[in-house]
Structure formats: C-alpha cells, structure tokens
Amino acid sequence: MPEEESEERAGKGETHVIRLKTPIRPPEYLDLVYGKVGKQKLGSVAAASPGGLAFEDPILLKSDGLPTYHLASVVDDHYMKITHVIRATEWMSSTPKHLVIYNAFGWNPPRFAHVGLLQDGRQNKLSKRDLSNVSLDLRKLQNEGIFPEALVNYVALYGWSHTSTSDFLPMEELINVFDLKFTKGNSVVMPEKLGFLQKKYAEKYVSEDGVMLKSMIQRVLAFAEQFLQEHPQVNDPKGKPLEERIANTLRQCKSDYRDPHQFYQSYFYFFKQLQAEDYLSTKAGSRRHLLAEIHNGERILRNGGKLLPLSIKNTIDHWMEPVLQRLNNLPGDKWNASLLQEVIKGILNDVEPHTKMLYSDWQKKNLDVQLFLRWALLAGWSGPSNSVAMEILGKETTLQRLVDASTVISE
C-alpha cells in the first residue's frame, strides 16, 4: 500500500495497526547456543523466494492501540537493563524482529540464548495453561510440601550440563557451577528427579537443625493431629509428646522424607496408639512383610514367605517376661538406641539355656526375637531398627506396646 494512501485512510479514522518497516536482510546475531543466526533475506526479497515470506514488518501497535508482545518485551527488557535473554528455541524466528526494534530505538540489544523446550514423557510440550500436568502445578507442589530450594534445583538442571558430581546443587553451589553452555535439543522432564532432590534437601535441613526442620515438624504434626481429630477412637500414645516423637522420627529417618503426608503415612505407628486390628491385619504391603497369620489354630508370624518356628503365644511365654523386666530396669535418662541394643543382646545371652532346645544357633534366635519385637512394637511395619524405634517411642510407650501385643494374642 502506498504511503500516501495509508496516511490518508488512517487520518480518516479507519481501523489500522502500526508496523515497523524492516530491512531487506534481517540482522544477524550471535546466539550463545547456536552460534551465528540470520542469513535469510526479509521483506520483498523473502516474499519472492521459493520458501515464501520468512519475515514481515512486525506489528508494534494493534488496532486497539495496545502494544504487541514484540514491542512491549523489547521496551521492558531495555528499561530493566536486561543483559541476557534466555528463552525457548521457538522464539528464534522472532529474534531478528526484536533486533530491528532495538536498532530503531538506537539501543544496544541484550545477548540471546535459545534453549530446547521442556517436554513430558510423551514428548509433548509442557504448557503453563495445562494444569493437569503436575510438573507445572506450583500450587499443588506447594501444598504437597515440596521445598522451594528443591524445586529451584530441579528446574535448574534442564537445558544444560554441569560439571558437578551430583545433581544435588544447593543455591550457593548452583550459582558457582552455573554457566551458559546450554545443550541443544529438547529436554524430557523427569518427576522422579524432584523426589530424589526433595529427599536430599530433607537430609540437609534435618542435619542443619534449623528453621526448615521446625517447618517440617509442624507440617507432619498437622497431619498427625488431623488424623487424631478425625478418628476419636484412636488415642495418641502416652509418654513422649507427639511433637517430640515427630522430631525424633525425622532425625532418625530423614533419608525417607518425601513430603509431610507421605512421611506421616510411612511412620504413622509412632504417632498414634496401635489397635488390635493393626496387630492382626493379614494385609501385606510394600512396607509390611511381617504378618500374624493363623496356622493350626495358632497365630504365627510370617516374614515374607517364611513362617517363624514358634507361635506368637509361645514366643511371648519364652521371651516377654525377661524383655519387660530388663527394659523396665533401664533408667529413662539412658533410654537410647545404643544401650537398648545392648540390653536386647544381653537378654538373648542370659536366657540361652532356656531356649537351647528351640534354636540351632544364636543368629537364628536373634532374628526371631527381633522379628517378634518388630511385630509387638510396630505391628510388623518396616521402619528403623527396633532399638531406634524404642528410643523414638520412649520407655512408657515401648513397655505398653509389649503388654498390648501380649493382650491381643491372649484375647
């Protein structure tokens, strides 16, 4: 359209846009990932090429008077003093337009680096508008208790390769190792990597014993208190306060922390009083392999695919009295995993003559007694060692659970 006609129609109030007239050949630029970019001709020359129009005069102001992204982003980046623009490769075709706008204003452009897209397992582009993709639902991740530092670490791993020996990169280390040597091609997002980093940061925060540990304790405590409120028939064990038990469990089992809800579910037996159904349930699971099954009219512990030689009742008859007596004699201020382990070992040695006919060797007897204690203390669920579990539970709750387990079998 001739310039005179354009000005005349615009002056009459016809709806119109404002474009930036571009040069015949687009400006070349040095991309930090792909090197020199921008050899094709633009405008009328490009329109006449076999490939069609590769570049047109970009719209700066739309018909409603509002600026387009092309204009707004350039102006915004300039006044924010942006030195490096790092964005997806799908924006490479727009970069020459942006450079033309920078040149038109007489501004020095920033440096550009175009990186690959983030894709899901089906190699679909991730979209901020698709909230069904949990990898991008920040509110969901926040509600789940994902640590901000773990999320930053996770996101920062994509699109480049670092020289560190581990992907666990706390902020200070991430700043030190980061560079602009981005990889070409798209990256597939792996949610399991976030789970790995979440556990590593949990270990870090527990070891630091600071504000983040206190936050972890409070979030697990909220789940525990909610369960007790919703199940009034279930009591909180007497003895150590619930918050103290949660703190001790986090310290002992920090490598198993993924989020507060998962942690509560994995170690619920420390945070509520066990019921008869907990002891007698024969439902196995990924964290429960020790079951109290009925065989020939008696309850016998099954450890995976193997039955223990004695019934639970016979085990209680042989072991409960010396175990309760010895544990009861241990002072509360010495109730720790190390001494408790020695106490259990002493019980096994002291009653050797009494059980010589029942076991062929000490190791087998030790295993069977430890498995019985696992069932009595934690209803057969996986977790820390028996001595650590007794330290977390405290003396009063430990002794009460041994009595409760005996009562369940005798009823």
Side-chain angles (χ1 to χ4, degrees):
M1 180 184 300
E3 182 178 349
E4 295 79 8
E5 180 184 352
S6 174
E7 291 181 353
E8 179 182 357
R9 293 173 63 180
K12 291 179 180 180
E14 288 190 37
T15 301
H16 65 280
V17 298
I18 296 179
R19 295 177 181 269
L20 175 66
K21 186 173 179 59
T22 59
I24 297 284
R25 184 180 295 275
E28 295 183 351
Y29 68 96
L30 187 64
D31 189 276
L32 295 176
V33 177
Y34 289 88
K36 184 179 289 187
V37 178
K39 293 182 179 179
Q40 74 274 21
K41 290 184 178 181
L42 304 179
S44 59
V45 176
S49 68
L53 183 61
F55 188 84
E56 62 181 4
D57 294 343
I59 296 175
L60 299 182
L61 295 177
K62 295 180 289 186
S63 59
D64 58 5
L66 294 177
T68 61
Y69 170 79
H70 297 302
L71 175 61
S73 65
V74 167
V75 174
D76 188 50
D77 287 352
H78 172 74
Y79 283 104
M80 290 185 67
K81 296 180 170 49
I82 299 298
T83 60
H84 292 74
V85 173
I86 303 172
R87 57 190 181 187
T89 51
E90 59 187 352
W91 286 99
M92 287 185 72
S93 61
S94 296
T95 302
K97 300 178 184 179
H98 299 165
L99 290 172
V100 170
I101 298 174
Y102 275 106
N103 292 338
F105 280 117
W107 296 338
N108 292 323
R111 302 192 69 183
F112 290 92
H114 290 90
V115 297
L117 300 175
L118 295 181
Q119 299 178 320
D120 60 21
R122 299 183 298 275
Q123 295 188 332
N124 295 323
K125 172 188 171 183
L126 296 186
S127 171
K128 63 184 179 182
R129 296 175 180 86
D130 181 10
L131 294 183
S132 64
N133 192 319
V134 296
S135 299
L136 288 179
D137 192 342
L138 296 183
R139 181 62 58 83
K140 185 175 186 295
L141 294 175
Q142 183 183 44
N143 293 338
E144 288 177 352
I146 299 300
F147 302 125
E149 196 173 5
L151 185 59
V152 170
N153 190 160
Y154 171 65
V155 173
L157 294 176
Y158 292 106
W160 68 296
S161 57
H162 57 80
T163 57
S164 178
T165 57
S166 172
D167 285 339
F168 174 60
L169 299 170
M171 183 59 72
E172 185 174 338
E173 186 174 354
L174 183 61
I175 292 172
N176 290 334
V177 302
F178 183 77
D179 58 39
L180 293 176
K181 295 179 180 178
F182 297 108
T183 55
K184 297 179 180 179
N186 299 331
S187 300
V188 176
V189 172
M190 298 179 293
E192 60 273 12
K193 177 66 72 173
L194 179 57
F196 163 78
L197 292 171
Q198 178 78 352
K199 289 186 176 183
K200 298 297 289 185
Y201 278 97
E203 294 179 23
K204 174 178 180 286
Y205 296 147
V206 172
S207 299
E208 290 173 346
D209 196 13
V211 174
M212 289 303 296
L213 174 58
K214 292 179 181 178
S215 174
M216 292 166 66
I217 293 170
Q218 292 305 310
R219 298 200 68 160
V220 177
L221 178 62
F223 279 104
E225 291 178 336
Q226 179 181 349
F227 178 87
L228 293 172
Q229 290 175 1
E230 294 174 352
H231 301 81
Q233 75 279 12
V234 179
N235 298 320
D236 179 24
K238 297 178 180 179
K240 288 186 177 181
L242 178 58
E243 186 171 343
E244 183 180 347
R245 267 176 282 130
I246 291 173
N248 289 339
T249 306
L250 282 167
R251 291 187 176 96
Q252 296 290 352
C253 308
K254 58 187 177 183
S255 61
D256 195 33
Y257 183 96
R258 189 174 71 243
D259 60 69
H261 184 237
Q262 164 270 334
F263 194 80
Y264 170 78
Q265 288 187 320
S266 297
Y267 298 101
F268 72 94
Y269 43 71
F270 287 132
F271 314 135
K272 78 177 190 73
Q273 185 175 341
L274 294 180
Q275 309 295 301
E277 55 265 29
D278 294 317
Y279 286 109
L280 302 181
S281 173
T282 56
K283 184 178 180 180
S286 60
R287 295 182 62 89
R288 191 168 189 253
H289 305 285
L290 193 59
L291 307 174
E293 300 179 347
I294 298 178
H295 292 272
N296 298 323
E298 291 190 293
R299 291 271 179 187
I300 299 177
L301 290 178
R302 175 185 291 278
N303 181 31
K306 186 177 181 180
L307 291 173
L308 271 62
L310 293 182
S311 69
I312 298 177
K313 185 178 184 306
N314 286 337
T315 304
I316 291 172
D317 292 340
H318 282 96
W319 295 105
M320 188 57 72
E321 183 178 347
V323 168
L324 283 174
Q325 181 180 2
R326 191 68 66 87
L327 290 177
N328 193 46
N329 290 337
L330 184 65
D333 59 351
K334 295 185 178 180
W335 192 268
N336 59 70
S338 179
L339 287 177
L340 287 166
Q341 188 175 3
E342 292 301 316
V343 169
I344 298 300
K345 185 184 294 185
I347 294 171
L348 292 170
N349 290 330
D350 290 349
V351 296
E352 175 69 30
H354 184 57
T355 59
K356 186 175 292 185
M357 299 298 294
L358 300 175
Y359 299 95
S360 58
D361 56 62
W362 191 91
Q363 281 75 17
K364 180 168 177 50
K365 177 177 65 175
N366 175 61
L367 175 62
D368 287 355
V369 173
Q370 295 286 4
L371 289 174
F372 165 72
L373 288 175
R374 164 73 53 181
W375 174 79
L377 294 169
L378 308 180
W381 290 85
S382 299
S385 67
N386 288 333
S387 57
V388 170
M390 287 190 283
E391 179 180 340
I392 293 173
L393 290 169
K395 181 176 181 178
E396 183 177 353
T397 303
T398 296
L399 296 176
Q400 186 60 53
R401 287 201 175 177
L402 293 173
V403 173
D404 290 344
S406 302
T407 303
V408 167
I409 293 300
S410 63
E411 292 179 347

